[in-house]
Amino acid sequence: MKDLMVIWNTLSRRQIYSSVNINPNGEKQVEQDEARTLTNLQRKSSVVVNKFFNAALPMRAGGRQRWSKNTFILMALGLFSLAFGCVILLCHPYDLLFNWKLFFGQGGETFEMWRKPEVDLYLKVYLFNVTNHNEFLSGEESKLRFQEVGPYVYKEAFEHANVVFNDNGTLSAVPVHPLKYIPELSNGTEEDLVIMPNIALFSITNVMKDASYISRWGLNTLIRRTNTQPLVQMTAREFMFGYQSTLVTLGNHLMPSWIKFDRLGLIDRMYDFDGDFETIYTGETDLRLTGLIDKYNGDVNLPQWTGSCANVHGASDGVKFPSYIKPNDTLLFFRKSLCRSERMVRVGEKVVQGLYTYQYKFMENELDNGAINPENKCFCRQGVCLKPGLIDVTDCYYGFPIALSYPHFYKSDPSLLEAVEGLNPEKEKHESYFFIQPKTGLPVDLAFRFQINMALQDIEHMARVEKFPHLTLPMLWFEIGMYKLPTNMHLRFWFYLNFMPTTEEVVMYLLLLSGTILLIWSVARILSLGTKKSSAEWLEMEKKRRKAQTDKQMESKSKDTDVYSSLLTSGDPNLMLIA
């Protein structure tokens, strides 16, 4: 303890003062004592260190082996194991590799999966067939009765075509969504006959409802002369992908910039991506943004809306969501057919196909037009707000009075459901869901479901549609879903997300543990060899000491005997008397 105090006082440049002697000579004496103490400590420490390293060196000074080379090899392996274990602990090579794979680069693995996803993406279409059109038009019944038919199933070969990498950490691509009919998954055929609303008639009458009397009189005359009916029979395919209509043909010839098609089909118009392009983040500036939309058609806002309602910046088109999602993050989902981006919130978590996922659904009251959530007030078109549960997408569908809702008016204003018969909203069938792997942003299982309606206004003074004012007609609802990952993609992401991080952790702990064990064993081995040597030397010295003592005692006895013998020989009378 005294030695330690001396070292501390010396290092801190403090002097030790005596309470008895405070004269300069005393101070000088103290300094000399400190110097001697430090010299002794240095000598002692040098002896200890030299003894350890002399014991640790594998060879003696003469070149002879002091201890086994295996011990040295094991010590080196222990040091290397500890070093590599610390490198893994500090650098996390798995994360570096994973982040590199998330980045969109030409020919990169994640980029190619995004460019042309090798997944089974299906479009399911359910039509609302009118079963009492004659009774309703004749006035016998006051409500339209609908029967859900389908689904008619199509496989969507989603692709981002014509990719061009930009200099600002983005790329540009053209969305392509070709459809292929899958009869074996469908319930019915495309040739099924159905009674559906005449979209062309309802659209033109809704547009012209506020026109001048002369204009309305001319249109009404045309409708009567062509015998155009509000509810018409056609095949399922015709309604989805195009049917002939006199009004559409006239519109195509007279107003080609507005009606650029000569056949009207609802799914055909919903999948019209002609001339569209996206600007997508590559992750160069921020990995979390990889695969998200920067701009759509060159703008962060959609032209149909104003304010926050127009924003598509940071939205996902469903192929990839943000990377490294946090539990409280709100995600954006955009699809052109929705005419807007929808906000999504996390509602749970689940392991799907062996991958940990967050479960998302659309935010509550997302279609309320500001009735409950004031932020949605900007979805009111031209100051007119539809009933909660409907979003007016007229400007996205060529001026047709189209409104989107959830299927069967799920979570919509009750009056919409009361105005018709045959609809029955169910959460399990009609609510959208998304299971997303939070680290990659990969959707593992998803289905988004919407209904397309005609939201008619005051058209009772227009020909053939007098019975339909202020009525919302359900026409179809669709589900676009990807229900599981293909086997090769599932195995690949299971390897990246489950096997690799677990392997890294196991290897790290094994290296640290084995390195520690090998190092401790090697040091213990070296010290044990030194202890054995010290014990042997001590025994040898003790042996020599005892031998020296014995020799000394023998020498002493021998001297006493010689003295006694010499006295006897001298003839001393005292000794003789004693004898």
Side-chain angles (χ1 to χ4, degrees):
M1 187 66 183
K2 179 181 177 182
D3 293 340
L4 293 176
M5 291 299 297
V6 170
I7 294 172
W8 166 252
N9 291 325
T10 302
L11 292 176
S12 59
R13 302 295 181 184
R14 295 172 55 188
Q15 293 181 343
I16 302 177
Y17 295 94
S18 170
S19 62
V20 178
N21 185 7
I22 58 173
N23 58 65
N25 292 332
E27 295 177 2
K28 194 172 190 180
Q29 182 64 35
V30 169
E31 293 178 356
Q32 291 175 355
D33 291 342
E34 289 178 359
R36 281 195 298 272
T37 304
L38 284 174
T39 302
N40 291 334
L41 285 173
Q42 291 174 353
R43 187 181 300 111
K44 291 177 182 178
S45 61
S46 298
V47 170
V48 172
V49 172
N50 288 334
K51 283 185 176 181
F52 174 79
F53 280 103
N54 286 335
L57 289 174
M59 304 297 289
R60 296 181 186 273
R64 290 175 297 148
Q65 185 173 342
R66 186 185 297 272
W67 42 270
S68 172
K69 289 183 179 179
N70 292 335
T71 305
F72 176 77
I73 293 173
L74 291 177
M75 177 181 283
L77 287 175
L79 290 172
F80 283 131
S81 297
L82 283 175
F84 285 125
C86 291
V87 167
I88 294 175
L89 178 64
L90 298 175
C91 298
H92 300 288
Y94 162 74
D95 289 339
L96 297 176
L97 175 63
F98 187 80
N99 291 341
W100 173 71
K101 283 192 168 291
L102 280 181
F103 172 74
F104 278 6
Q106 187 69 48
E109 184 177 10
T110 307
F111 165 72
E112 288 298 327
M113 285 190 289
W114 170 86
R115 185 184 65 82
K116 192 172 183 179
E118 297 179 358
V119 299
D120 295 327
L121 184 65
Y122 293 102
L123 166 67
K124 297 180 179 180
V125 181
Y126 299 82
L127 302 182
F128 288 110
N129 177 40
V130 180
T131 60
N132 66 335
H133 63 289
N134 290 327
E135 292 83 353
F136 178 79
L137 293 175
S138 64
E140 296 179 22
E141 297 185 10
S142 60
K143 292 183 180 181
L144 282 172
R145 187 182 310 115
F146 294 93
Q147 175 193 20
E148 180 184 287
V149 295
Y152 303 97
V153 182
Y154 300 84
K155 186 172 183 179
E156 180 179 323
F158 191 7
E159 180 180 359
H160 297 95
N162 303 331
V163 176
V164 177
F165 283 87
N166 305 318
D167 296 330
N168 61 348
T170 65
L171 60 82
S172 300
V174 175
V176 181
H177 303 261
L179 296 175
K180 180 183 178 181
Y181 179 57
I182 311 296
E184 58 270 21
L185 298 180
S186 302
N187 181 22
T189 71
E190 290 184 309
E191 303 307 314
D192 291 342
L193 293 176
V194 289
I195 304 295
M196 303 297 295
N198 189 337
I199 300 175
L201 175 61
F202 284 116
S203 298
I204 193 65
T205 53
N206 200 75
V207 169
M208 297 293 291
K209 68 183 186 305
D210 296 324
S212 64
Y213 175 80
I214 298 299
S215 298
R216 287 188 283 114
W217 176 82
L219 177 60
N220 288 337
T221 301
L222 176 64
I223 293 172
R224 292 187 180 97
R225 287 179 65 86
T226 57
N227 194 30
T228 304
Q229 298 297 321
L231 301 172
V232 294
Q233 185 182 65
M234 65 187 79
T235 66
R237 178 172 179 80
E238 285 175 333
F239 183 76
M240 290 186 287
F241 294 99
Y243 65 92
Q244 291 285 355
S245 170
T246 304
L247 296 178
V248 173
T249 302
L250 286 174
N252 179 246
H253 285 87
L254 299 177
M255 298 172 288
S257 60
W258 175 34
I259 307 297
K260 58 182 181 180
F261 42 86
D262 59 356
R263 297 171 66 89
L264 178 58
L266 207 52
I267 298 298
D268 179 65
R269 294 299 90 205
M270 192 175 84
Y271 272 78
D272 179 20
F273 292 89
D274 187 28
D276 291 3
F277 66 94
E278 299 173 321
T279 306
I280 304 293
Y281 285 107
T282 63
E284 181 180 341
T285 57
D286 187 348
L287 273 177
R288 296 189 76 244
L289 298 177
T290 305
L292 301 185
I293 296 173
D294 175 31
K295 298 177 181 178
Y296 195 84
N297 289 336
D299 200 335
V300 297
N301 295 317
L302 297 175
Q304 294 84 4
W305 311 108
T306 60
S308 60
C309 293
N311 176 61
V312 293
H313 179 76
S316 167
D317 60 6
V319 179
K320 185 187 177 303
F321 291 88
S323 308
Y324 296 104
I325 302 173
K326 298 177 182 178
N328 294 326
D329 285 350
T330 298
L331 308 186
L332 286 178
F333 173 73
F334 172 74
R335 181 88 174 194
K336 184 185 178 182
S337 57
L338 305 182
C339 194
R340 59 168 291 182
S341 56
E342 295 264 351
R343 291 171 296 180
M344 299 161 51
V345 294
R346 187 178 72 96
V347 295
E349 52 190 54
K350 184 180 179 181
V351 176
V352 180
Q353 290 184 264
L355 301 176
Y356 175 72
T357 65
Y358 287 165
Q359 180 181 358
Y360 281 84
K361 70 174 185 178
F362 292 126
M363 185 177 289
E364 201 71 23
N365 302 313
E366 188 70 346
L367 304 182
D368 73 339
N369 298 311
I372 299 175
N373 186 354
E375 294 180 3
N376 292 330
K377 195 76 174 178
C378 49
F379 287 113
C380 297
R381 180 174 175 268
Q382 298 178 357
V384 178
C385 297
L386 298 183
K387 294 179 180 180
L390 294 176
I391 175 173
D392 193 339
V393 293
T394 298
D395 293 331
C396 293
Y397 285 85
Y398 313 97
F400 303 159
I402 301 295
L404 293 181
S405 69
Y406 296 134
H408 288 245
F409 296 126
Y410 175 67
K411 290 189 174 181
S412 300
D413 190 291
S415 63
L416 298 171
L417 195 61
E418 293 169 359
V420 295
E421 295 180 358
L423 275 64
N424 181 30
E426 298 181 34
K427 178 179 180 179
E428 292 75 16
K429 294 181 179 180
H430 304 137
E431 186 174 63
S432 301
Y433 67 86
F434 301 78
F435 289 97
I436 303 170
Q437 208 291 317
K439 190 169 185 177
T440 61
L442 173 75
V444 179
D445 180 9
L446 64 84
F448 60 95
R449 299 153 171 162
F450 282 88
Q451 181 171 298
I452 300 180
N453 314 279
M454 297 207 77
L456 304 174
Q457 299 179 32
D458 186 8
I459 57 174
E460 62 181 350
H461 51 280
M462 303 301 295
R464 303 290 171 88
V465 294
E466 299 88 346
K467 294 184 176 295
F468 296 87
H470 305 292
L471 189 61
T472 300
L473 300 177
M475 295 186 292
L476 65 82
W477 73 271
F478 64 89
E479 171 182 311
I480 299 178
M482 190 274 297
Y483 310 107
K484 67 176 183 178
L485 294 175
T487 302
N488 61 338
M489 186 179 292
H490 168 242
L491 292 177
R492 189 181 307 173
F493 277 94
W494 181 89
F495 179 80
Y496 290 150
L497 296 169
N498 293 349
F499 180 78
M500 286 187 66
T502 303
T503 301
E504 181 192 68
E505 190 171 355
V506 170
V507 169
M508 180 187 70
Y509 284 118
L510 285 177
L511 286 173
L512 292 174
L513 181 61
S514 60
T516 302
I517 293 174
L518 289 174
L519 198 59
I520 292 175
W521 187 90
S522 302
V523 172
R525 178 69 175 167
I526 292 170
L527 293 178
S528 67
L529 290 174
T531 303
K532 288 181 181 179
K533 177 188 173 184
S534 299
S535 300
E537 290 178 350
W538 181 84
L539 290 173
E540 184 68 22
M541 291 175 62
E542 183 67 16
K543 197 173 180 182
K544 289 180 179 180
R545 187 183 65 79
R546 290 183 179 181
K547 183 178 180 183
Q549 288 180 347
T550 303
D551 292 344
K552 189 174 182 180
Q553 290 175 358
M554 292 298 293
E555 183 179 357
S556 176
K557 288 182 180 181
S558 175
K559 286 181 178 181
D560 291 342
T561 303
D562 292 341
V563 170
Y564 184 70
S565 300
S566 63
L567 289 175
L568 290 177
T569 306
S570 64
D572 190 337
N574 293 325
L575 292 174
M576 296 296 293
L577 291 173
I578 293 172

